[in-house]
Every structure is written in C-alpha cells, then in structure tokens.
C-alpha cells in the first residue's frame, strides 16, 4: 500500500467518526434543551470527543503520545470549554468572558504549532474544526442555561454538526474550498466575537449581533454545501 493510499484510508476513517460524533452532539443538544442538565451535556460531550480521538489514534500517535504540540493545545481548548460549561452556574460573567477569550486566543496557536513542527494532518484539521464547533455550541449552551437567551441561541452551535451529517449522506469526501477561506474565517471570527461579547454587553446589543452572526454563518454553510454538491461527479447513465 502506498503512502497516498494510507493517507486516504486514514482520512476516510476520520470523516466517518466525525459524522458519528456529529450525530451524538445533535442528540446531546436535544437532551440539554429537554432536560436542562449541563452535567449530562458535558459528560456526553467528553465521552464523544474521547471516542473520536481513540478511534483515530493511528492518525495522531504518529506525532507522539499526545499527537504533537498542536493537537495537545487543541485538546486543552476542548477541556477548557468543558470546564466553562461545568462552572457556568457558579462563575461571574467576567470569569466566563475570560475563559472564552483564552480559548479564542489559543485557537490560532495550534495551527501555528502544526506548521512550525510540521505535524499537520487530516485528524488535526478535523479535531480543530470540532473544537471550534464545540466552542460555539458550548457557549450558546451556557447562554441558554443562564437564561441570557432563548432556545434559538442553540441553533448556531448545531450548524457545523448538521453540515457534517449532511455531507456524510452525499457519500463524497469533504474538501477544503480555498476560495472560501477568507469568508469562513471572517464570519467565524465575527460569530466567536459576538459570543464572547455576550458576557460583557447588554442583551440590547448582543441579541441583534447574534442574529446577524447566525444569518451570516448559515449563509456560509449553504455556500459550502452547494459547492460540495457541485463538485460531486455526475452519475453515469
């Protein structure tokens, strides 16, 4: 088996497990909405991402016990977000603001480490994307749990998982559309900024901002999904 074939096999496996993780997170959010148990939400989230990493251990162990510095930082970001959810009822909004700001600052650091130490991988790309998705979902879950916004606030956090599930039904590998990189980064940064600002601004300001961010991120996912479908090979006959 060639090295290219091995990479493809690992990539396909990562995508299958990511799809399974997405289903679990959608159901996990439904449980939070129905029963309001943050402890259950955190437990299920931790178990799911743990199984995601364990199922793909061959992909990240090539860079060391912890998958290299980049994956280690990404993992720490995920753990901080779990801690954010657990402490939300006991922490002042400024403390939660500090947690979310720390995770956001560290977001670009893992990518820098991956490039510096040449440990970029399909698993690392997906793990980073899953952590970004969980950032949005966990913060919106905290806002919902604290009564700072209605249940609609959970919707932006589900978009990444719904997108991954939808792509899995197309039976065609996920791909990176470099033409949309700036759009994704800009809208993603705007959404994260709005989420962080929720802890220090008045609802009069952050509610309209979140609505705008929600519209933009939905629009971005639609563009990516349409581009993905357009890239699929036509069926013969």
């Amino acid at each position: 088996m060639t090295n290219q074939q091995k990479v493809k096999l690992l990539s396909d496996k990562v995508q299958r497990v990511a799809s399974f993780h997405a289903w679990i997170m959608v159901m996990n959010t439904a449980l939070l909405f129905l029963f309001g148990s943050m402890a259950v939400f955190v437990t299920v989230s931790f178990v799911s991402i743990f199984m995601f990493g364990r199922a793909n251990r061959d992909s990240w162990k090539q860079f060391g016990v912890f998958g290299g510095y980049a994956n280690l930082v990404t993992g720490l970001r995920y753990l901080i977000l779990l801690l954010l959810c657990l402490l939300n009822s006991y922490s002042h909004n400024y403390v939660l603001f500090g947690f979310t700001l720390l995770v956001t600052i560290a977001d670009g650091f893992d990518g820098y480490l991956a490039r510096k130490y040449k440990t970029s991988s399909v698993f690392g790309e997906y793990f980073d994307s899953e952590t970004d998705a969980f950032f949005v979902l966990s913060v919106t879950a905290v806002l919902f749990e604290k009564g700072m916004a209605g249940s609609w606030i959970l919707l932006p956090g589900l978009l990444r998982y719904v997108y991954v599930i939808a792509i899995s039904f197309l039976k065609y590998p996920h791909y990176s559309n470099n033409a949309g990189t700036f759009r994704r980064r800009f809208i993603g940064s705007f959404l994260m900024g709005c989420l962080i600002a929720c802890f220090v601004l008045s609802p009069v300001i952050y509610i309209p901002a979140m609505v705008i961010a929600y519209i933009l991120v939905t629009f971005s996912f639609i563009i990516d999904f349409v581009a993905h479908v357009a890239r699929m090979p036509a069926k013969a006959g």
Side-chain angles (χ1 to χ4, degrees):
M1 183 181 294
T2 65
N3 185 60
Q4 186 176 2
Q5 289 174 323
K6 290 180 180 178
V7 171
K8 185 179 185 306
L9 285 175
L10 289 174
S11 176
D12 291 344
K13 185 178 180 181
V14 169
Q15 292 176 47
R16 287 196 302 271
V17 180
S19 176
F20 182 70
H21 171 68
W23 275 109
I24 292 177
M25 294 308 295
V26 170
M27 291 185 286
N28 191 23
T29 306
L31 289 176
L32 178 68
F33 172 73
L34 292 173
F35 303 106
S37 176
M38 190 62 83
V40 172
F41 177 79
V42 170
T43 301
V44 174
S45 299
F46 174 76
V47 171
S48 185
I49 200 66
F50 176 80
M51 295 306 296
F52 174 77
R54 182 174 176 78
N56 292 291
R57 58 187 177 277
D58 293 338
S59 297
W60 55 264
K61 271 197 169 182
Q62 58 182 312
F63 302 122
V65 178
F66 298 104
Y69 294 119
N71 286 325
L72 178 59
V73 170
T74 305
L76 290 175
R77 287 172 54 216
Y78 207 98
L79 290 176
I80 292 173
L81 291 171
L82 292 173
L83 187 62
L84 170 78
C85 293
L86 286 175
L87 298 180
N88 82 91
S89 299
Y90 314 100
S91 303
H92 191 279
N93 280 1
Y94 287 158
V95 175
L96 301 178
F97 170 79
F99 271 109
T100 54
L101 185 61
L102 175 62
V103 173
T104 303
I105 292 173
D107 184 22
F109 192 52
D110 50 9
Y112 164 77
L113 290 173
R115 292 188 296 272
K116 178 178 175 63
Y117 293 101
K118 295 180 173 57
T119 55
S120 299
S121 65
V122 174
F123 172 81
E125 178 186 349
Y126 265 83
F127 189 26
D128 182 63
S129 296
E130 294 304 328
T131 303
D132 289 342
F134 188 64
F135 174 91
V136 179
L137 182 59
S138 60
V139 175
T140 55
V142 168
L143 295 173
F144 170 68
E145 187 74 4
K146 291 175 73 71
M148 297 174 65
S151 57
W152 64 270
I153 199 69
L154 295 171
L155 295 176
L158 291 172
L159 284 175
R160 158 73 183 179
Y161 302 109
V162 172
Y163 175 80
V164 170
I165 292 170
I167 291 299
S168 70
F169 280 109
L170 296 177
K171 306 296 182 183
Y172 195 64
H174 174 73
Y175 78 106
S176 297
N177 179 10
N178 293 327
T181 299
F182 175 77
R183 165 178 48 82
R184 292 193 208 99
R185 288 179 178 173
F186 175 79
I187 294 177
S189 298
F190 180 73
L191 175 61
M192 288 184 174
C194 290
L195 287 169
I196 295 173
C198 289
F199 295 112
V200 292
L201 297 178
S202 165
V204 177
I205 299 176
Y206 73 70
I207 293 294
M210 279 303 304
V211 171
I212 294 173
Y214 177 36
I215 293 172
L216 289 176
V217 75
T218 301
F219 176 69
S220 182
F221 273 115
I222 290 174
I223 290 177
D224 285 342
F225 184 77
V226 170
H228 188 103
V229 172
R231 185 174 177 266
M232 291 178 62
K235 292 183 179 180

PDB file of all heavy atoms in Angstrom, residues 171-196:
ATOM      1  N   LYS A 171     -21.986  10.773   0.405  1.00  0.00           N
ATOM      2  CA  LYS A 171     -21.023   9.717   0.067  1.00  0.00           C
ATOM      3  C   LYS A 171     -19.886  10.254  -0.801  1.00  0.00           C
ATOM      4  O   LYS A 171     -19.422   9.600  -1.719  1.00  0.00           O
ATOM      5  CB  LYS A 171     -21.709   8.550  -0.664  1.00  0.00           C
ATOM      6  CG  LYS A 171     -22.897   7.971   0.077  1.00  0.00           C
ATOM      7  CD  LYS A 171     -22.482   7.336   1.397  1.00  0.00           C
ATOM      8  CE  LYS A 171     -23.671   6.707   2.110  1.00  0.00           C
ATOM      9  NZ  LYS A 171     -23.302   6.153   3.423  1.00  0.00           N
ATOM     10  N   TYR A 172     -19.486  11.463  -0.506  1.00  0.00           N
ATOM     11  CA  TYR A 172     -18.376  12.042  -1.260  1.00  0.00           C
ATOM     12  C   TYR A 172     -17.509  12.801  -0.273  1.00  0.00           C
ATOM     13  O   TYR A 172     -18.024  13.537   0.562  1.00  0.00           O
ATOM     14  CB  TYR A 172     -18.893  12.983  -2.340  1.00  0.00           C
ATOM     15  CG  TYR A 172     -17.854  13.347  -3.384  1.00  0.00           C
ATOM     16  CD1 TYR A 172     -17.317  12.371  -4.216  1.00  0.00           C
ATOM     17  CD2 TYR A 172     -17.411  14.658  -3.517  1.00  0.00           C
ATOM     18  CE1 TYR A 172     -16.368  12.700  -5.175  1.00  0.00           C
ATOM     19  CE2 TYR A 172     -16.468  14.990  -4.482  1.00  0.00           C
ATOM     20  CZ  TYR A 172     -15.955  14.012  -5.301  1.00  0.00           C
ATOM     21  OH  TYR A 172     -15.013  14.323  -6.245  1.00  0.00           O
ATOM     22  N   PRO A 173     -16.199  12.624  -0.288  1.00  0.00           N
ATOM     23  CA  PRO A 173     -15.316  13.183   0.735  1.00  0.00           C
ATOM     24  C   PRO A 173     -15.450  14.685   0.902  1.00  0.00           C
ATOM     25  O   PRO A 173     -15.675  15.419  -0.058  1.00  0.00           O
ATOM     26  CB  PRO A 173     -13.904  12.813   0.237  1.00  0.00           C
ATOM     27  CG  PRO A 173     -14.120  11.662  -0.680  1.00  0.00           C
ATOM     28  CD  PRO A 173     -15.459  11.892  -1.321  1.00  0.00           C
ATOM     29  N   HIS A 174     -15.295  15.110   2.144  1.00  0.00           N
ATOM     30  CA  HIS A 174     -15.258  16.536   2.433  1.00  0.00           C
ATOM     31  C   HIS A 174     -14.008  17.137   1.775  1.00  0.00           C
ATOM     32  O   HIS A 174     -13.003  16.476   1.621  1.00  0.00           O
ATOM     33  CB  HIS A 174     -15.194  16.757   3.946  1.00  0.00           C
ATOM     34  CG  HIS A 174     -14.998  18.183   4.331  1.00  0.00           C
ATOM     35  ND1 HIS A 174     -15.980  19.125   4.228  1.00  0.00           N
ATOM     36  CD2 HIS A 174     -13.913  18.819   4.822  1.00  0.00           C
ATOM     37  CE1 HIS A 174     -15.518  20.294   4.644  1.00  0.00           C
ATOM     38  NE2 HIS A 174     -14.262  20.136   5.012  1.00  0.00           N
ATOM     39  N   TYR A 175     -14.091  18.371   1.394  1.00  0.00           N
ATOM     40  CA  TYR A 175     -12.916  19.006   0.807  1.00  0.00           C
ATOM     41  C   TYR A 175     -12.851  20.452   1.273  1.00  0.00           C
ATOM     42  O   TYR A 175     -13.827  21.021   1.765  1.00  0.00           O
ATOM     43  CB  TYR A 175     -12.988  18.984  -0.724  1.00  0.00           C
ATOM     44  CG  TYR A 175     -13.911  20.023  -1.317  1.00  0.00           C
ATOM     45  CD1 TYR A 175     -13.396  21.149  -1.948  1.00  0.00           C
ATOM     46  CD2 TYR A 175     -15.297  19.888  -1.224  1.00  0.00           C
ATOM     47  CE1 TYR A 175     -14.246  22.102  -2.481  1.00  0.00           C
ATOM     48  CE2 TYR A 175     -16.141  20.846  -1.759  1.00  0.00           C
ATOM     49  CZ  TYR A 175     -15.618  21.946  -2.391  1.00  0.00           C
ATOM     50  OH  TYR A 175     -16.451  22.888  -2.902  1.00  0.00           O
ATOM     51  N   SER A 176     -11.676  21.031   1.136  1.00  0.00           N
ATOM     52  CA  SER A 176     -11.480  22.416   1.540  1.00  0.00           C
ATOM     53  C   SER A 176     -11.554  23.316   0.326  1.00  0.00           C
ATOM     54  O   SER A 176     -10.787  23.158  -0.624  1.00  0.00           O
ATOM     55  CB  SER A 176     -10.113  22.584   2.230  1.00  0.00           C
ATOM     56  OG  SER A 176     -10.065  21.822   3.408  1.00  0.00           O
ATOM     57  N   ASN A 177     -12.480  24.235   0.359  1.00  0.00           N
ATOM     58  CA  ASN A 177     -12.607  25.187  -0.743  1.00  0.00           C
ATOM     59  C   ASN A 177     -11.792  26.428  -0.393  1.00  0.00           C
ATOM     60  O   ASN A 177     -12.216  27.291   0.357  1.00  0.00           O
ATOM     61  CB  ASN A 177     -14.093  25.553  -0.924  1.00  0.00           C
ATOM     62  CG  ASN A 177     -14.290  26.556  -2.041  1.00  0.00           C
ATOM     63  OD1 ASN A 177     -13.383  26.844  -2.799  1.00  0.00           O
ATOM     64  ND2 ASN A 177     -15.494  27.089  -2.124  1.00  0.00           N
ATOM     65  N   ASN A 178     -10.574  26.497  -0.923  1.00  0.00           N
ATOM     66  CA  ASN A 178      -9.677  27.590  -0.567  1.00  0.00           C
ATOM     67  C   ASN A 178     -10.247  28.951  -0.925  1.00  0.00           C
ATOM     68  O   ASN A 178      -9.915  29.959  -0.310  1.00  0.00           O
ATOM     69  CB  ASN A 178      -8.321  27.394  -1.261  1.00  0.00           C
ATOM     70  CG  ASN A 178      -7.588  26.175  -0.722  1.00  0.00           C
ATOM     71  OD1 ASN A 178      -7.708  25.846   0.451  1.00  0.00           O
ATOM     72  ND2 ASN A 178      -6.835  25.493  -1.584  1.00  0.00           N
ATOM     73  N   ALA A 179     -11.123  28.976  -1.943  1.00  0.00           N
ATOM     74  CA  ALA A 179     -11.709  30.252  -2.355  1.00  0.00           C
ATOM     75  C   ALA A 179     -12.578  30.844  -1.258  1.00  0.00           C
ATOM     76  O   ALA A 179     -12.805  32.048  -1.222  1.00  0.00           O
ATOM     77  CB  ALA A 179     -12.543  30.056  -3.623  1.00  0.00           C
ATOM     78  N   GLY A 180     -13.077  30.001  -0.376  1.00  0.00           N
ATOM     79  CA  GLY A 180     -13.955  30.497   0.683  1.00  0.00           C
ATOM     80  C   GLY A 180     -13.284  30.648   2.025  1.00  0.00           C
ATOM     81  O   GLY A 180     -13.934  30.891   3.037  1.00  0.00           O
ATOM     82  N   THR A 181     -11.936  30.513   2.060  1.00  0.00           N
ATOM     83  CA  THR A 181     -11.218  30.554   3.336  1.00  0.00           C
ATOM     84  C   THR A 181     -11.405  31.877   4.058  1.00  0.00           C
ATOM     85  O   THR A 181     -11.696  31.907   5.259  1.00  0.00           O
ATOM     86  CB  THR A 181      -9.718  30.290   3.105  1.00  0.00           C
ATOM     87  OG1 THR A 181      -9.553  28.998   2.530  1.00  0.00           O
ATOM     88  CG2 THR A 181      -8.968  30.350   4.422  1.00  0.00           C
ATOM     89  N   PHE A 182     -11.240  32.994   3.342  1.00  0.00           N
ATOM     90  CA  PHE A 182     -11.390  34.305   3.972  1.00  0.00           C
ATOM     91  C   PHE A 182     -12.809  34.490   4.509  1.00  0.00           C
ATOM     92  O   PHE A 182     -13.009  34.998   5.619  1.00  0.00           O
ATOM     93  CB  PHE A 182     -11.061  35.418   2.978  1.00  0.00           C
ATOM     94  CG  PHE A 182     -11.321  36.804   3.527  1.00  0.00           C
ATOM     95  CD1 PHE A 182     -10.437  37.383   4.414  1.00  0.00           C
ATOM     96  CD2 PHE A 182     -12.482  37.493   3.176  1.00  0.00           C
ATOM     97  CE1 PHE A 182     -10.689  38.653   4.949  1.00  0.00           C
ATOM     98  CE2 PHE A 182     -12.740  38.753   3.700  1.00  0.00           C
ATOM     99  CZ  PHE A 182     -11.842  39.332   4.583  1.00  0.00           C
ATOM    100  N   ARG A 183     -13.795  34.080   3.710  1.00  0.00           N
ATOM    101  CA  ARG A 183     -15.199  34.193   4.152  1.00  0.00           C
ATOM    102  C   ARG A 183     -15.432  33.429   5.446  1.00  0.00           C
ATOM    103  O   ARG A 183     -16.040  33.942   6.377  1.00  0.00           O
ATOM    104  CB  ARG A 183     -16.127  33.681   3.046  1.00  0.00           C
ATOM    105  CG  ARG A 183     -17.558  33.410   3.527  1.00  0.00           C
ATOM    106  CD  ARG A 183     -18.462  32.942   2.405  1.00  0.00           C
ATOM    107  NE  ARG A 183     -17.886  31.886   1.609  1.00  0.00           N
ATOM    108  CZ  ARG A 183     -17.908  30.588   1.966  1.00  0.00           C
ATOM    109  NH1 ARG A 183     -18.439  30.221   3.127  1.00  0.00           N
ATOM    110  NH2 ARG A 183     -17.395  29.676   1.166  1.00  0.00           N
ATOM    111  N   ARG A 184     -14.953  32.184   5.480  1.00  0.00           N
ATOM    112  CA  ARG A 184     -15.150  31.364   6.671  1.00  0.00           C
ATOM    113  C   ARG A 184     -14.478  31.976   7.889  1.00  0.00           C
ATOM    114  O   ARG A 184     -15.043  32.010   8.979  1.00  0.00           O
ATOM    115  CB  ARG A 184     -14.616  29.945   6.440  1.00  0.00           C
ATOM    116  CG  ARG A 184     -15.415  29.140   5.430  1.00  0.00           C
ATOM    117  CD  ARG A 184     -15.001  27.666   5.518  1.00  0.00           C
ATOM    118  NE  ARG A 184     -15.200  27.012   4.228  1.00  0.00           N
ATOM    119  CZ  ARG A 184     -14.246  26.787   3.347  1.00  0.00           C
ATOM    120  NH1 ARG A 184     -13.007  27.169   3.604  1.00  0.00           N
ATOM    121  NH2 ARG A 184     -14.516  26.184   2.205  1.00  0.00           N
ATOM    122  N   ARG A 185     -13.254  32.414   7.698  1.00  0.00           N
ATOM    123  CA  ARG A 185     -12.517  32.999   8.819  1.00  0.00           C
ATOM    124  C   ARG A 185     -13.165  34.273   9.322  1.00  0.00           C
ATOM    125  O   ARG A 185     -13.266  34.499  10.538  1.00  0.00           O
ATOM    126  CB  ARG A 185     -11.069  33.267   8.403  1.00  0.00           C
ATOM    127  CG  ARG A 185     -10.227  32.008   8.261  1.00  0.00           C
ATOM    128  CD  ARG A 185      -8.817  32.345   7.836  1.00  0.00           C
ATOM    129  NE  ARG A 185      -7.991  31.143   7.739  1.00  0.00           N
ATOM    130  CZ  ARG A 185      -6.755  31.136   7.268  1.00  0.00           C
ATOM    131  NH1 ARG A 185      -6.197  32.261   6.839  1.00  0.00           N
ATOM    132  NH2 ARG A 185      -6.070  30.002   7.209  1.00  0.00           N
ATOM    133  N   PHE A 186     -13.607  35.113   8.394  1.00  0.00           N
ATOM    134  CA  PHE A 186     -14.228  36.383   8.787  1.00  0.00           C
ATOM    135  C   PHE A 186     -15.532  36.140   9.540  1.00  0.00           C
ATOM    136  O   PHE A 186     -15.743  36.689  10.631  1.00  0.00           O
ATOM    137  CB  PHE A 186     -14.492  37.239   7.549  1.00  0.00           C
ATOM    138  CG  PHE A 186     -15.240  38.506   7.855  1.00  0.00           C
ATOM    139  CD1 PHE A 186     -14.582  39.603   8.387  1.00  0.00           C
ATOM    140  CD2 PHE A 186     -16.617  38.592   7.629  1.00  0.00           C
ATOM    141  CE1 PHE A 186     -15.276  40.772   8.698  1.00  0.00           C
ATOM    142  CE2 PHE A 186     -17.315  39.753   7.934  1.00  0.00           C
ATOM    143  CZ  PHE A 186     -16.643  40.850   8.470  1.00  0.00           C
ATOM    144  N   ILE A 187     -16.392  35.293   8.971  1.00  0.00           N
ATOM    145  CA  ILE A 187     -17.684  35.030   9.608  1.00  0.00           C
ATOM    146  C   ILE A 187     -17.497  34.261  10.909  1.00  0.00           C
ATOM    147  O   ILE A 187     -18.165  34.535  11.921  1.00  0.00           O
ATOM    148  CB  ILE A 187     -18.614  34.259   8.648  1.00  0.00           C
ATOM    149  CG1 ILE A 187     -18.966  35.140   7.446  1.00  0.00           C
ATOM    150  CG2 ILE A 187     -19.892  33.814   9.358  1.00  0.00           C
ATOM    151  CD1 ILE A 187     -19.818  34.455   6.391  1.00  0.00           C
ATOM    152  N   GLY A 188     -16.557  33.294  10.905  1.00  0.00           N
ATOM    153  CA  GLY A 188     -16.284  32.545  12.126  1.00  0.00           C
ATOM    154  C   GLY A 188     -15.771  33.444  13.232  1.00  0.00           C
ATOM    155  O   GLY A 188     -16.184  33.323  14.391  1.00  0.00           O
ATOM    156  N   SER A 189     -14.883  34.365  12.897  1.00  0.00           N
ATOM    157  CA  SER A 189     -14.349  35.304  13.890  1.00  0.00           C
ATOM    158  C   SER A 189     -15.434  36.237  14.396  1.00  0.00           C
ATOM    159  O   SER A 189     -15.485  36.561  15.596  1.00  0.00           O
ATOM    160  CB  SER A 189     -13.204  36.123  13.271  1.00  0.00           C
ATOM    161  OG  SER A 189     -12.141  35.290  12.890  1.00  0.00           O
ATOM    162  N   PHE A 190     -16.317  36.659  13.494  1.00  0.00           N
ATOM    163  CA  PHE A 190     -17.418  37.540  13.895  1.00  0.00           C
ATOM    164  C   PHE A 190     -18.354  36.810  14.867  1.00  0.00           C
ATOM    165  O   PHE A 190     -18.771  37.370  15.881  1.00  0.00           O
ATOM    166  CB  PHE A 190     -18.195  37.999  12.662  1.00  0.00           C
ATOM    167  CG  PHE A 190     -19.346  38.918  12.970  1.00  0.00           C
ATOM    168  CD1 PHE A 190     -19.127  40.227  13.356  1.00  0.00           C
ATOM    169  CD2 PHE A 190     -20.667  38.459  12.892  1.00  0.00           C
ATOM    170  CE1 PHE A 190     -20.190  41.081  13.649  1.00  0.00           C
ATOM    171  CE2 PHE A 190     -21.735  39.294  13.187  1.00  0.00           C
ATOM    172  CZ  PHE A 190     -21.487  40.614  13.558  1.00  0.00           C
ATOM    173  N   LEU A 191     -18.658  35.546  14.555  1.00  0.00           N
ATOM    174  CA  LEU A 191     -19.531  34.762  15.426  1.00  0.00           C
ATOM    175  C   LEU A 191     -18.897  34.572  16.798  1.00  0.00           C
ATOM    176  O   LEU A 191     -19.557  34.764  17.824  1.00  0.00           O
ATOM    177  CB  LEU A 191     -19.808  33.399  14.780  1.00  0.00           C
ATOM    178  CG  LEU A 191     -20.613  32.399  15.623  1.00  0.00           C
ATOM    179  CD1 LEU A 191     -21.997  32.953  15.939  1.00  0.00           C
ATOM    180  CD2 LEU A 191     -20.718  31.058  14.897  1.00  0.00           C
ATOM    181  N   MET A 192     -17.609  34.188  16.827  1.00  0.00           N
ATOM    182  CA  MET A 192     -16.937  33.990  18.111  1.00  0.00           C
ATOM    183  C   MET A 192     -16.871  35.291  18.902  1.00  0.00           C
ATOM    184  O   MET A 192     -17.047  35.306  20.128  1.00  0.00           O
ATOM    185  CB  MET A 192     -15.528  33.438  17.885  1.00  0.00           C
ATOM    186  CG  MET A 192     -15.502  31.994  17.419  1.00  0.00           C
ATOM    187  SD  MET A 192     -13.806  31.361  17.268  1.00  0.00           S
ATOM    188  CE  MET A 192     -14.146  29.626  16.886  1.00  0.00           C
ATOM    189  N   GLY A 193     -16.617  36.396  18.202  1.00  0.00           N
ATOM    190  CA  GLY A 193     -16.579  37.696  18.875  1.00  0.00           C
ATOM    191  C   GLY A 193     -17.915  38.053  19.503  1.00  0.00           C
ATOM    192  O   GLY A 193     -17.968  38.562  20.634  1.00  0.00           O
ATOM    193  N   CYS A 194     -18.989  37.765  18.776  1.00  0.00           N
ATOM    194  CA  CYS A 194     -20.329  38.040  19.308  1.00  0.00           C
ATOM    195  C   CYS A 194     -20.625  37.188  20.542  1.00  0.00           C
ATOM    196  O   CYS A 194     -21.206  37.660  21.517  1.00  0.00           O
ATOM    197  CB  CYS A 194     -21.387  37.781  18.234  1.00  0.00           C
ATOM    198  SG  CYS A 194     -21.395  38.979  16.885  1.00  0.00           S
ATOM    199  N   LEU A 195     -20.204  35.926  20.491  1.00  0.00           N
ATOM    200  CA  LEU A 195     -20.432  35.021  21.620  1.00  0.00           C
ATOM    201  C   LEU A 195     -19.676  35.480  22.857  1.00  0.00           C
ATOM    202  O   LEU A 195     -20.219  35.478  23.966  1.00  0.00           O
ATOM    203  CB  LEU A 195     -20.007  33.600  21.235  1.00  0.00           C
ATOM    204  CG  LEU A 195     -20.926  32.866  20.255  1.00  0.00           C
ATOM    205  CD1 LEU A 195     -20.270  31.585  19.755  1.00  0.00           C
ATOM    206  CD2 LEU A 195     -22.266  32.549  20.916  1.00  0.00           C
ATOM    207  N   ILE A 196     -18.426  35.875  22.677  1.00  0.00           N
ATOM    208  CA  ILE A 196     -17.633  36.366  23.804  1.00  0.00           C
ATOM    209  C   ILE A 196     -18.248  37.636  24.383  1.00  0.00           C
ATOM    210  O   ILE A 196     -18.330  37.812  25.608  1.00  0.00           O
ATOM    211  CB  ILE A 196     -16.183  36.637  23.357  1.00  0.00           C
ATOM    212  CG1 ILE A 196     -15.501  35.339  22.944  1.00  0.00           C
ATOM    213  CG2 ILE A 196     -15.379  37.311  24.468  1.00  0.00           C
ATOM    214  CD1 ILE A 196     -14.129  35.542  22.322  1.00  0.00           C
TER     215      ILE A 196
END
